[in-house]
Coordinates of all heavy atoms in Angstrom, one line a residue:
M297 N 20.0 11.2 -7.2 CA 19.2 10.1 -7.8 C 19.5 10.1 -9.3 O 19.4 11.0 -10.0 CB 17.7 10.4 -7.5 CG 16.9 9.1 -7.9 SD 15.2 9.3 -7.3 CE 14.3 9.2 -8.9
A298 N 19.7 8.8 -9.8 CA 20.0 8.6 -11.2 C 18.6 8.4 -11.8 O 17.6 7.9 -11.3 CB 20.8 7.3 -11.4
E299 N 18.5 8.9 -13.0 CA 17.2 8.9 -13.8 C 17.1 7.5 -14.5 O 16.0 7.1 -14.7 CB 17.2 10.0 -14.8 CG 15.8 10.1 -15.5 CD 15.7 11.3 -16.4 OE1 16.0 12.4 -16.0 OE2 15.3 11.1 -17.6
R300 N 18.2 7.0 -14.9 CA 18.2 5.7 -15.7 C 19.3 4.8 -15.2 O 20.3 5.2 -14.7 CB 18.3 5.9 -17.2 CG 17.1 6.8 -17.7 CD 17.0 6.7 -19.3 NE 15.9 7.5 -19.6 CZ 14.7 7.0 -20.0 NH1 14.5 5.6 -19.8 NH2 13.7 7.7 -20.4
D301 N 19.0 3.5 -15.3 CA 20.1 2.5 -15.0 C 21.0 2.3 -16.2 O 20.8 2.9 -17.3 CB 19.6 1.2 -14.4 CG 18.8 0.4 -15.5 OD1 18.8 0.7 -16.7 OD2 18.2 -0.6 -15.1
K302 N 22.0 1.5 -16.1 CA 23.0 1.3 -17.2 C 22.4 0.6 -18.4 O 23.0 0.7 -19.4 CB 24.2 0.4 -16.7 CG 23.8 -1.0 -16.3 CD 25.1 -1.7 -15.8 CE 24.7 -3.1 -15.4 NZ 26.0 -3.8 -15.0
Y303 N 21.1 0.1 -18.3 CA 20.5 -0.5 -19.5 C 19.5 0.5 -20.1 O 18.7 0.1 -21.0 CB 19.8 -1.7 -19.0 CG 20.7 -2.8 -18.5 CD1 20.7 -3.1 -17.1 CD2 21.7 -3.4 -19.3 CE1 21.6 -3.9 -16.6 CE2 22.5 -4.3 -18.7 CZ 22.5 -4.6 -17.4 OH 23.4 -5.5 -16.9
G304 N 19.4 1.8 -19.5 CA 18.5 2.7 -20.0 C 17.1 2.7 -19.5 O 16.2 3.4 -19.9
R305 N 16.8 1.8 -18.5 CA 15.5 1.8 -17.8 C 15.3 2.9 -17.0 O 16.2 3.3 -16.2 CB 15.4 0.4 -17.0 CG 15.4 -0.8 -17.9 CD 15.4 -2.1 -17.1 NE 16.6 -2.2 -16.3 CZ 17.1 -3.3 -15.7 NH1 16.4 -4.4 -15.9 NH2 18.2 -3.4 -15.1
L306 N 14.1 3.5 -17.0 CA 13.7 4.7 -16.2 C 13.6 4.2 -14.7 O 12.9 3.2 -14.4 CB 12.4 5.2 -16.7 CG 11.9 6.5 -16.0 CD1 12.9 7.6 -16.2 CD2 10.5 6.9 -16.6
L307 N 14.2 5.0 -13.8 CA 14.1 4.7 -12.4 C 13.3 5.9 -11.8 O 13.7 7.0 -12.0 CB 15.5 4.7 -11.8 CG 16.5 3.7 -12.5 CD1 17.9 3.9 -11.9 CD2 16.0 2.3 -12.3
A308 N 12.2 5.6 -11.1 CA 11.5 6.6 -10.5 C 10.7 6.2 -9.3 O 10.4 5.1 -9.1 CB 10.4 7.1 -11.5
Y309 N 10.6 7.1 -8.3 CA 9.6 7.0 -7.3 C 8.3 7.7 -7.7 O 8.4 8.9 -8.1 CB 10.1 7.7 -6.0 CG 11.4 7.1 -5.5 CD1 12.5 7.9 -5.2 CD2 11.5 5.7 -5.2 CE1 13.7 7.4 -4.7 CE2 12.7 5.2 -4.7 CZ 13.8 6.0 -4.5 OH 15.0 5.5 -4.0
V310 N 7.2 7.0 -7.7 CA 6.0 7.6 -8.2 C 5.0 7.8 -7.0 O 4.6 6.9 -6.3 CB 5.3 6.6 -9.2 CG1 4.0 7.2 -9.7 CG2 6.2 6.2 -10.3
W311 N 4.8 9.1 -6.8 CA 3.9 9.6 -5.7 C 2.5 9.7 -6.2 O 2.3 10.4 -7.3 CB 4.4 10.8 -5.1 CG 5.7 10.7 -4.4 CD1 6.9 10.9 -4.9 CD2 5.9 10.2 -3.1 NE1 7.9 10.6 -4.0 CE2 7.3 10.2 -2.8 CE3 5.0 9.8 -2.0 CZ2 7.8 9.8 -1.6 CZ3 5.6 9.4 -0.8 CH2 7.0 9.3 -0.6
L312 N 1.5 9.2 -5.6 CA 0.1 9.3 -6.0 C -0.4 10.7 -5.5 O -1.4 11.2 -6.2 CB -0.8 8.2 -5.3 CG -0.3 6.8 -5.7 CD1 -1.0 5.8 -4.9 CD2 -0.6 6.6 -7.2
S313 N 0.1 11.2 -4.5 CA -0.2 12.6 -4.1 C 1.1 13.1 -3.4 O 1.8 12.3 -2.8 CB -1.4 12.7 -3.2 OG -1.2 11.9 -2.0
P314 N 1.3 14.4 -3.3 CA 2.5 14.9 -2.7 C 2.6 14.5 -1.2 O 1.7 14.6 -0.5 CB 2.3 16.5 -2.8 CG 1.4 16.7 -3.9 CD 0.4 15.5 -3.9
P315 N 3.8 14.0 -0.9 CA 4.0 13.6 0.5 C 4.3 14.8 1.5 O 4.9 15.8 1.0 CB 5.2 12.7 0.5 CG 6.0 13.2 -0.7 CD 5.0 13.8 -1.7
K316 N 3.9 14.6 2.7 CA 4.1 15.6 3.7 C 5.6 15.5 4.2 O 6.3 16.5 4.6 CB 3.2 15.5 4.9 CG 1.8 15.8 4.5 CD 0.9 15.6 5.7 CE -0.6 15.8 5.2 NZ -1.5 14.8 5.6
D317 N 6.1 14.3 4.1 CA 7.5 14.0 4.5 C 7.9 12.7 3.8 O 7.1 12.1 3.1 CB 7.7 13.9 6.0 CG 6.8 12.9 6.7 OD1 6.8 11.7 6.3 OD2 6.1 13.3 7.7
D318 N 9.1 12.2 4.1 CA 9.5 10.9 3.5 C 9.5 9.8 4.4 O 10.2 8.8 4.3 CB 10.9 11.1 2.8 CG 12.0 11.4 3.8 OD1 11.8 11.7 5.0 OD2 13.1 11.4 3.4
G319 N 8.7 9.9 5.5 CA 8.5 8.8 6.5 C 7.7 7.6 6.0 O 7.1 7.7 5.0
E320 N 7.8 6.5 6.7 CA 7.2 5.3 6.3 C 5.7 5.4 6.2 O 5.2 4.9 5.2 CB 7.5 4.2 7.4 CG 6.9 2.9 7.0 CD 7.3 1.7 7.9 OE1 8.3 1.8 8.6 OE2 6.5 0.7 7.9
A321 N 5.1 6.1 7.0 CA 3.6 6.3 6.9 C 3.1 6.9 5.6 O 2.2 6.5 4.9 CB 3.0 7.0 8.0
E322 N 4.0 8.0 5.2 CA 3.6 8.7 3.9 C 4.0 7.8 2.7 O 3.2 7.8 1.8 CB 4.5 10.0 3.9 CG 4.0 11.1 4.8 CD 2.6 11.6 4.4 OE1 2.5 12.2 3.3 OE2 1.6 11.4 5.1
V323 N 5.1 7.1 2.8 CA 5.4 6.2 1.7 C 4.3 5.1 1.5 O 3.8 4.9 0.4 CB 6.8 5.5 1.9 CG1 7.0 4.4 0.9 CG2 7.9 6.5 1.9
R324 N 3.9 4.5 2.6 CA 2.8 3.5 2.6 C 1.5 4.0 1.9 O 0.8 3.4 1.2 CB 2.5 2.9 3.9 CG 3.6 1.9 4.4 CD 3.2 1.5 5.8 NE 4.2 0.5 6.3 CZ 4.0 -0.8 6.2 NH1 3.0 -1.2 5.6 NH2 4.9 -1.6 6.7
A325 N 1.2 5.3 2.4 CA -0.1 5.9 1.9 C -0.1 6.5 0.6 O -1.1 6.6 0.0 CB -0.5 6.9 3.0
R326 N 1.0 7.0 0.1 CA 1.0 7.8 -1.1 C 2.0 7.5 -2.2 O 1.9 8.0 -3.3 CB 1.4 9.3 -0.6 CG 0.5 9.9 0.4 CD 1.1 11.2 0.8 NE 0.3 11.8 1.9 CZ -0.6 12.7 1.8 NH1 -1.0 13.2 0.6 NH2 -1.3 13.1 2.8
M327 N 2.8 6.5 -2.0 CA 3.8 6.0 -3.1 C 3.2 4.8 -3.8 O 3.0 3.8 -3.3 CB 5.2 5.8 -2.5 CG 6.2 5.6 -3.6 SD 7.8 5.1 -3.0 CE 8.5 6.7 -2.5
Y328 N 3.2 5.0 -5.2 CA 2.7 3.8 -5.9 C 3.7 2.7 -5.9 O 3.2 1.5 -5.9 CB 2.5 4.3 -7.4 CG 1.9 3.3 -8.3 CD1 0.6 2.8 -8.0 CD2 2.6 2.8 -9.4 CE1 0.0 1.9 -8.9 CE2 2.0 1.8 -10.2 CZ 0.8 1.4 -9.9 OH 0.2 0.4 -10.8
N329 N 5.0 2.9 -5.8 CA 5.9 1.9 -5.7 C 5.6 1.0 -4.5 O 5.7 -0.2 -4.6 CB 7.4 2.4 -5.5 CG 7.8 3.4 -6.6 OD1 7.1 4.5 -6.6 ND2 8.7 3.2 -7.4
A330 N 5.3 1.6 -3.4 CA 5.0 1.0 -2.2 C 3.7 0.1 -2.3 O 3.6 -1.0 -1.8 CB 4.9 1.9 -0.9
E331 N 2.7 0.7 -2.9 CA 1.5 0.0 -3.1 C 1.7 -1.3 -3.9 O 1.1 -2.3 -3.6 CB 0.5 0.9 -3.9 CG -0.9 0.4 -4.0 CD -1.9 1.4 -4.7 OE1 -1.9 2.5 -4.3 OE2 -2.6 0.9 -5.6
L332 N 2.4 -1.2 -5.0 CA 2.8 -2.4 -5.8 C 3.4 -3.5 -4.9 O 3.1 -4.7 -5.0 CB 3.6 -2.1 -6.9 CG 3.0 -1.2 -8.0 CD1 4.0 -0.9 -9.1 CD2 1.8 -2.0 -8.7
L333 N 4.4 -3.1 -4.1 CA 5.1 -4.0 -3.2 C 4.2 -4.6 -2.1 O 4.1 -5.8 -1.9 CB 6.3 -3.3 -2.5 CG 7.5 -3.1 -3.4 CD1 8.4 -2.1 -2.8 CD2 8.1 -4.4 -3.8
L334 N 3.3 -3.7 -1.5 CA 2.5 -4.2 -0.4 C 1.4 -5.2 -0.9 O 0.9 -6.1 -0.2 CB 1.8 -3.0 0.2 CG 2.6 -2.2 1.2 CD1 2.0 -0.9 1.5 CD2 2.8 -3.0 2.5
N335 N 1.0 -5.0 -2.2 CA 0.0 -6.0 -2.8 C 0.6 -7.1 -3.5 O -0.1 -8.0 -4.0 CB -0.9 -5.1 -3.7 CG -1.9 -4.2 -2.9 OD1 -2.6 -4.7 -2.1 ND2 -1.8 -2.9 -3.2
G336 N 1.9 -7.2 -3.4 CA 2.6 -8.4 -4.0 C 2.7 -8.3 -5.5 O 2.9 -9.4 -6.1
Y337 N 2.6 -7.2 -6.1 CA 2.7 -7.1 -7.6 C 4.0 -6.6 -8.1 O 4.1 -6.2 -9.3 CB 1.6 -6.2 -8.0 CG 0.2 -6.8 -7.8 CD1 -0.8 -6.0 -7.1 CD2 -0.2 -8.0 -8.1 CE1 -2.0 -6.5 -6.8 CE2 -1.4 -8.6 -7.8 CZ -2.3 -7.8 -7.1 OH -3.6 -8.3 -6.9
A338 N 5.0 -6.5 -7.2 CA 6.3 -6.0 -7.7 C 7.4 -6.7 -6.8 O 7.0 -7.3 -5.7 CB 6.4 -4.5 -7.5
Q339 N 8.6 -6.7 -7.2 CA 9.7 -7.2 -6.5 C 10.7 -6.2 -6.4 O 11.0 -5.4 -7.3 CB 10.2 -8.5 -7.2 CG 11.3 -9.3 -6.5 CD 11.5 -10.6 -7.1 OE1 10.9 -11.0 -8.0 NE2 12.6 -11.2 -6.7
V340 N 11.4 -6.1 -5.3 CA 12.4 -5.1 -5.0 C 13.6 -5.2 -5.9 O 14.1 -6.4 -6.1 CB 12.9 -5.1 -3.6 CG1 14.0 -4.1 -3.4 CG2 11.8 -4.8 -2.6
M341 N 14.0 -4.1 -6.5 CA 15.2 -4.1 -7.3 C 15.9 -2.8 -7.0 O 15.4 -1.7 -7.2 CB 15.0 -4.2 -8.8 CG 16.3 -4.1 -9.6 SD 15.9 -4.3 -11.4 CE 16.6 -2.8 -12.0
T342 N 17.0 -2.8 -6.4 CA 17.7 -1.6 -5.9 C 18.8 -1.3 -6.8 O 19.7 -2.2 -7.2 CB 18.3 -1.8 -4.5 OG1 17.2 -2.1 -3.6 CG2 19.0 -0.5 -4.0
V343 N 18.9 -0.1 -7.3 CA 19.9 0.4 -8.3 C 20.6 1.6 -7.7 O 20.1 2.7 -7.7 CB 19.3 0.8 -9.7 CG1 20.4 1.2 -10.6 CG2 18.5 -0.4 -10.2
P344 N 21.8 1.4 -7.1 CA 22.6 2.5 -6.6 C 22.8 3.6 -7.7 O 22.9 3.2 -8.9 CB 23.9 1.9 -6.1 CG 23.6 0.5 -5.9 CD 22.6 0.2 -6.9
P345 N 22.7 4.8 -7.4 CA 22.7 5.5 -6.1 C 21.2 5.6 -5.5 O 21.0 6.3 -4.5 CB 23.3 6.8 -6.3 CG 22.9 7.2 -7.7 CD 22.9 5.9 -8.4
N346 N 20.2 5.0 -6.1 CA 18.8 5.3 -5.7 C 18.5 4.3 -4.7 O 17.8 3.2 -4.9 CB 17.9 5.0 -6.9 CG 18.2 6.0 -8.1 OD1 19.2 6.6 -8.1 ND2 17.3 6.1 -9.0
V347 N 18.9 4.5 -3.4 CA 18.7 3.6 -2.3 C 18.0 4.1 -1.2 O 17.9 3.5 -0.1 CB 20.1 3.0 -1.9 CG1 20.8 2.2 -3.0 CG2 21.0 4.1 -1.4
K348 N 17.4 5.3 -1.4 CA 16.8 6.0 -0.2 C 15.7 5.1 0.4 O 15.6 5.1 1.7 CB 16.1 7.3 -0.8 CG 15.4 8.1 0.3 CD 14.9 9.4 -0.2 CE 14.3 10.3 0.9 NZ 13.9 11.6 0.3
Y349 N 14.9 4.4 -0.3 CA 13.9 3.5 0.3 C 14.1 2.1 0.3 O 13.2 1.2 0.5 CB 12.5 3.9 -0.4 CG 12.1 5.3 -0.3 CD1 12.2 6.2 -1.4 CD2 11.5 5.8 0.8 CE1 11.8 7.5 -1.3 CE2 11.2 7.1 1.0 CZ 11.3 8.0 -0.1 OH 10.9 9.3 0.0
A350 N 15.4 1.7 0.0 CA 15.7 0.2 -0.2 C 15.3 -0.6 1.0 O 14.6 -1.7 0.8 CB 17.2 0.1 -0.5
D351 N 15.6 -0.2 2.2 CA 15.2 -1.0 3.4 C 13.7 -1.1 3.6 O 13.2 -2.2 3.9 CB 15.9 -0.5 4.6 CG 17.4 -0.6 4.6 OD1 18.0 -1.4 3.9 OD2 18.1 0.2 5.4
L352 N 13.1 0.0 3.4 CA 11.6 0.0 3.6 C 10.9 -0.8 2.5 O 10.0 -1.6 2.8 CB 11.1 1.5 3.5 CG 9.5 1.6 3.6 CD1 8.9 0.9 4.8 CD2 9.1 3.1 3.5
F353 N 11.4 -0.7 1.2 CA 10.8 -1.6 0.2 C 11.0 -3.0 0.5 O 10.1 -3.8 0.2 CB 11.5 -1.2 -1.2 CG 11.0 0.1 -1.8 CD1 11.7 0.6 -2.9 CD2 10.0 0.9 -1.2 CE1 11.2 1.8 -3.5 CE2 9.6 2.0 -1.8 CZ 10.2 2.5 -2.9
A354 N 12.2 -3.4 1.0 CA 12.4 -4.8 1.4 C 11.4 -5.3 2.4 O 10.9 -6.4 2.4 CB 13.9 -5.0 1.8
K355 N 11.2 -4.3 3.4 CA 10.3 -4.7 4.5 C 8.8 -4.9 3.9 O 8.1 -5.8 4.3 CB 10.2 -3.5 5.5 CG 9.2 -3.6 6.6 CD 9.3 -2.5 7.5 CE 8.2 -2.5 8.6 NZ 8.3 -1.3 9.5
L356 N 8.4 -4.0 3.0 CA 7.1 -4.1 2.4 C 6.9 -5.4 1.6 O 5.9 -6.0 1.6 CB 6.8 -2.9 1.5 CG 6.8 -1.5 2.2 CD1 6.6 -0.4 1.2 CD2 5.9 -1.4 3.4
Q357 N 8.0 -5.7 0.8 CA 8.0 -7.0 0.1 C 7.8 -8.2 1.1 O 7.1 -9.1 0.8 CB 9.2 -7.1 -0.7 CG 9.3 -8.4 -1.5 CD 10.4 -8.4 -2.5 OE1 10.5 -7.7 -3.5 NE2 11.5 -9.2 -2.1
R358 N 8.6 -8.2 2.1 CA 8.4 -9.3 3.1 C 7.0 -9.4 3.7 O 6.4 -10.5 3.8 CB 9.4 -9.0 4.3 CG 10.7 -9.6 4.1 CD 11.6 -9.6 5.5 NE 11.6 -8.3 6.1 CZ 12.5 -7.4 5.8 NH1 13.3 -7.5 4.8 NH2 12.4 -6.3 6.5
E359 N 6.4 -8.2 3.9 CA 5.0 -8.3 4.4 C 4.1 -8.9 3.4 O 3.2 -9.7 3.8 CB 4.5 -6.8 4.7 CG 5.2 -6.2 5.9 CD 4.7 -4.7 6.1 OE1 3.6 -4.4 5.7 OE2 5.4 -4.0 6.8
A360 N 4.2 -8.6 2.1 CA 3.4 -9.1 1.1 C 3.7 -10.7 1.0 O 2.8 -11.4 0.8 CB 3.7 -8.5 -0.2
R361 N 4.9 -11.1 1.1 CA 5.3 -12.5 1.0 C 4.6 -13.2 2.2 O 4.0 -14.3 2.0 CB 6.7 -12.7 1.1 CG 7.4 -12.5 -0.2 CD 8.9 -12.9 -0.1 NE 9.5 -12.6 -1.4 CZ 10.8 -12.9 -1.6 NH1 11.5 -13.5 -0.7 NH2 11.3 -12.6 -2.8
E362 N 4.7 -12.7 3.4 CA 4.2 -13.4 4.6 C 2.7 -13.5 4.5 O 2.1 -14.4 5.0 CB 4.6 -12.6 5.8 CG 6.1 -12.8 6.1 CD 6.7 -11.9 7.2 OE1 5.9 -11.1 7.9 OE2 7.9 -11.9 7.4
A363 N 2.0 -12.5 3.9 CA 0.5 -12.4 3.7 C 0.1 -13.3 2.5 O -1.0 -13.3 2.2 CB 0.1 -11.0 3.7
K364 N 1.1 -13.7 1.7 CA 0.8 -14.5 0.5 C 0.0 -13.7 -0.5 O -1.0 -14.2 -1.0 CB 0.2 -15.8 0.8 CG 1.1 -16.7 1.6 CD 0.5 -18.1 1.8 CE 1.4 -19.0 2.5 NZ 2.6 -18.8 3.0
K365 N 0.3 -12.4 -0.6 CA -0.4 -11.5 -1.6 C 0.3 -11.6 -3.0 O 1.4 -11.8 -3.1 CB -0.4 -10.1 -1.1 CG -1.2 -9.9 0.2 CD -1.2 -8.4 0.6 CE -2.1 -8.1 1.7 NZ -2.1 -6.8 2.1
G366 N -0.6 -11.3 -3.9 CA -0.2 -11.2 -5.3 C 0.7 -12.3 -5.8 O 0.4 -13.5 -5.8
L367 N 1.9 -11.9 -6.3 CA 2.9 -12.9 -6.8 C 3.3 -14.0 -5.7 O 3.7 -15.1 -6.1 CB 4.2 -12.2 -7.2 CG 4.1 -11.1 -8.3 CD1 5.4 -10.3 -8.4 CD2 3.7 -11.7 -9.6
W368 N 3.1 -13.7 -4.5 CA 3.5 -14.6 -3.4 C 2.4 -15.5 -3.0 O 2.6 -16.2 -2.0 CB 4.1 -13.8 -2.3 CG 5.0 -12.7 -2.7 CD1 4.8 -11.4 -2.6 CD2 6.3 -12.8 -3.4 NE1 5.8 -10.6 -3.2 CE2 6.8 -11.5 -3.7 CE3 7.0 -13.9 -3.9 CZ2 7.9 -11.3 -4.3 CZ3 8.2 -13.7 -4.5 CH2 8.6 -12.4 -4.8
G369 N 1.2 -15.4 -3.6 CA 0.1 -16.2 -3.2 C 0.2 -17.7 -3.4 O 1.1 -18.1 -4.1
R370 N -0.6 -18.4 -2.8 CA -0.6 -19.9 -3.0 C -1.0 -20.2 -4.3 O -1.9 -19.7 -4.9 CB -1.5 -20.5 -1.9 CG -1.0 -20.3 -0.5 CD -2.0 -21.0 0.5 NE -1.7 -20.5 1.7 CZ -1.4 -21.3 2.8 NH1 -1.4 -22.7 2.6 NH2 -1.1 -20.9 4.0
R371 N -0.3 -21.2 -4.8 CA -0.6 -21.8 -6.2 C -1.3 -23.1 -6.0 O -0.9 -23.9 -5.1 CB 0.6 -21.9 -7.0 CG 1.5 -20.6 -7.0 CD 1.9 -20.3 -8.4 NE 2.9 -19.2 -8.4 CZ 2.5 -18.0 -8.8 NH1 1.3 -17.8 -9.1 NH2 3.4 -17.0 -8.8
P372 N -2.3 -23.4 -6.8 CA -3.0 -24.7 -6.7 C -2.0 -25.9 -7.0 O -1.1 -25.8 -7.6 CB -4.1 -24.6 -7.7 CG -3.9 -23.4 -8.5 CD -2.8 -22.6 -7.9

């Protein structure tokens, strides 16, 4: 896993509590990155080689969009 991208931005998976494993249920329940995506407050950006959760993050973002949460909510 790379610590920073080519622009110097910090890249991190932020766990709210230590996970028991790296499965989807643990990510949904314990990872702050996932919480932001699920609530529609973040957008997926994948920076190789940090692609471990890329597919899951895309799935969580789709769920937020479909539920019109956060950034994806209806605008007046």
Side-chain angles (χ1 to χ4, degrees):
M297 185 169 124
E299 187 175 310
R300 295 192 180 267
D301 69 7
K302 67 181 180 178
Y303 303 107
R305 294 177 291 201
L306 183 63
L307 305 172
Y309 298 127
V310 181
W311 293 96
L312 299 170
S313 60
K316 295 177 181 133
D317 57 52
D318 63 354
E320 182 174 340
E322 286 293 293
V323 172
R324 285 175 177 269
R326 299 174 189 260
M327 187 186 279
Y328 187 61
N329 310 62
E331 184 175 317
L332 291 173
L333 287 165
L334 282 166
N335 288 301
Y337 297 127
Q339 189 168 347
V340 174
M341 183 179 120
T342 303
V343 179
N346 302 13
V347 297
K348 182 174 186 175
Y349 298 106
D351 292 338
L352 177 55
F353 286 172
K355 177 181 177 180
L356 301 179
Q357 180 175 286
R358 272 192 309 277
E359 288 178 22
R361 280 186 182 182
E362 290 169 4
K364 297 185 177 2
K365 291 183 175 181
L367 301 169
W368 317 113
R370 294 180 193 236
R371 308 229 188 256

